[in-house]
Amino acid sequence: MARRNWKLELPLHLMLLPGLALVLLFCYGPMVGIAIAFQNFNPMNGLLGSEWVGWEHFRYIYGLPDTMAVIRNTVFISLMKIAAGLVAPIATALLLNEVGKRLFKRTVQTVLYMPHFLSWVIMAGILIDVLSPSAGIVNQFLGWLGFPKVLFLGNSHLFPYVLVATDVLKEFGFGTIVYLAAIAGINPALYEAAVIDGAGRWKMTLYITLPSIVPIVVLMLTLSLGNVLNAGFDQVFNLYNPSVYSTGDILDTYVFRIGLGNGQFGVATAVGLFKSVISLLLISVSYMLAYRFANYRIF
């Protein structure tokens, strides 16, 4: 019987081979470069010919005055994105769930979902024009209301919040669809029983809809914990500038500037390795929490 099952499953295993080959080539193959974190890497000498320096780069990183500030920026921006990215989709899904006209509901869903498909290169170009202090529509509107113009992308105090707001603007449509799907799976008999008992829409939302989607909310929250050190390289790189480095610089952009800008390949790799190890621990913890509180398992 086992042999027969093996023959039936063989085509499925063969279908996995191309994907497995790509993973080995592009995900595991480059991990050889981790050795650069422990070398004074010289591209002319390669991995085998470069001098080994042990933990020197990690000690050097720890002594840099910018390192802790970059880590704080990364964690702060990531946590704000996680919080805002949780609240906005849930609120929008609850509001759309109350819309009776299907055409209007589907139209709003489509409009909200569209920015998800835009790359940050395109999105950043749009945002730079919209938030421009000279000709941007946002500052023009503020001027009509009598407020002074705001340098959104050049003010170090505002920049982290601009990152969070624009990230929510781009991605919350996707989360809205996830929560709408969870709401659609709620047993209609619960609402029918609530109507018989005289409950209004607010009471049904508070005592039926929200408790019913708690498992998916917990799941999305715990899975997002693994991305605490991923504050969004594409977004930050396309929107930031030297005037906001103090509050907008994150680990990924820091590594990019050190490695490619200054040619310190060993130091940049050491920062990247530090981030990867911490991210691995956070992802492991998040999956443990997802299994415990949301009964979610990969295998």
Side-chain angles (χ1 to χ4, degrees):
M1 186 66 180
R3 183 179 180 84
R4 182 182 176 185
N5 289 338
W6 180 83
K7 289 183 178 180
L8 291 174
E9 295 173 358
L10 180 60
L12 301 177
H13 289 289
L14 293 177
M15 289 175 62
L16 290 174
L17 290 180
L20 180 61
L22 291 175
V23 169
L24 292 175
L25 180 63
F26 292 105
C27 295
Y28 287 92
M31 290 182 69
V32 177
I34 290 175
I36 297 175
F38 306 96
Q39 295 179 327
N40 274 332
F41 181 72
N42 187 332
M44 298 297 294
N45 298 331
L47 283 174
L48 298 179
S50 298
E51 177 189 2
W52 291 89
V53 294
W55 298 95
E56 181 180 328
H57 294 318
F58 293 91
R59 289 191 289 267
Y60 174 73
I61 293 167
Y62 183 76
L64 288 176
D66 296 335
T67 302
M68 293 308 299
V70 169
I71 294 175
R72 283 195 300 270
N73 293 342
T74 304
V75 174
F76 178 64
I77 293 172
S78 295
L79 290 178
M80 285 201 302
K81 284 184 176 181
I82 290 173
L86 192 68
V87 174
I90 293 174
T92 307
L94 292 174
L95 292 173
L96 283 177
N97 186 54
E98 300 301 318
V99 176
K101 295 184 179 180
R102 179 172 295 184
L103 178 61
F104 177 77
K105 183 177 180 179
R106 294 293 174 85
T107 303
V108 173
Q109 283 182 246
T110 304
V111 172
L112 295 179
Y113 194 37
M114 285 178 62
H116 174 74
F117 296 99
L118 297 177
S119 70
W120 270 113
V121 176
I122 298 173
M123 196 71 178
I126 296 173
L127 291 172
I128 289 171
D129 290 337
V130 170
L131 300 177
S132 170
S134 57
I137 188 173
V138 174
N139 273 302
Q140 288 185 6
F141 181 72
L142 292 176
W144 294 336
L145 296 178
F147 294 102
K149 293 183 177 180
V150 179
L151 193 62
F152 289 100
L153 300 179
N155 188 318
S156 59
H157 298 290
L158 285 177
F159 188 72
Y161 303 99
V162 173
L163 291 177
V164 175
T166 54
D167 181 74
V168 171
L169 176 66
K170 184 177 183 297
E171 299 295 342
F172 86 105
F174 177 81
T176 299
I177 291 178
V178 173
Y179 293 115
L180 278 174
I183 292 173
I186 299 174
N187 189 350
L190 297 175
Y191 294 104
E192 295 171 1
V195 171
I196 295 173
D197 289 340
R201 299 303 304 177
W202 170 247
K203 293 292 185 180
M204 286 190 283
T205 299
L206 190 62
Y207 293 107
I208 298 177
T209 307
L210 282 175
S212 297
I213 65 172
V214 163
I216 190 65
V217 173
V218 173
L219 174 62
M220 298 296 287
L221 177 61
T222 53
L223 294 182
S224 64
L225 293 178
N227 294 318
V228 169
L229 294 185
N230 292 323
F233 171 79
D234 293 346
Q235 179 193 19
V236 178
F237 181 75
N238 283 286
L239 289 176
Y240 84 150
N241 56 77
S243 63
V244 295
Y245 278 174
S246 59
T247 59
D249 203 14
I250 61 174
L251 280 171
D252 289 333
T253 54
Y254 191 54
V255 169
F256 181 85
R257 288 207 321 277
I258 292 177
L260 295 183
N262 300 336
Q264 296 178 294
F265 301 107
V267 176
T269 306
V271 176
L273 180 58
F274 164 77
K275 175 196 165 185
S276 298
V277 171
I278 300 299
S279 296
L280 176 62
L281 294 176
L282 290 173
I283 289 172
S284 301
V285 171
S286 67
Y287 277 116
M288 290 173 60
L289 294 175
Y291 173 64
R292 181 172 181 178
F293 295 107
N295 198 28
Y296 174 82
R297 297 184 64 178
I298 303 177
F299 305 108

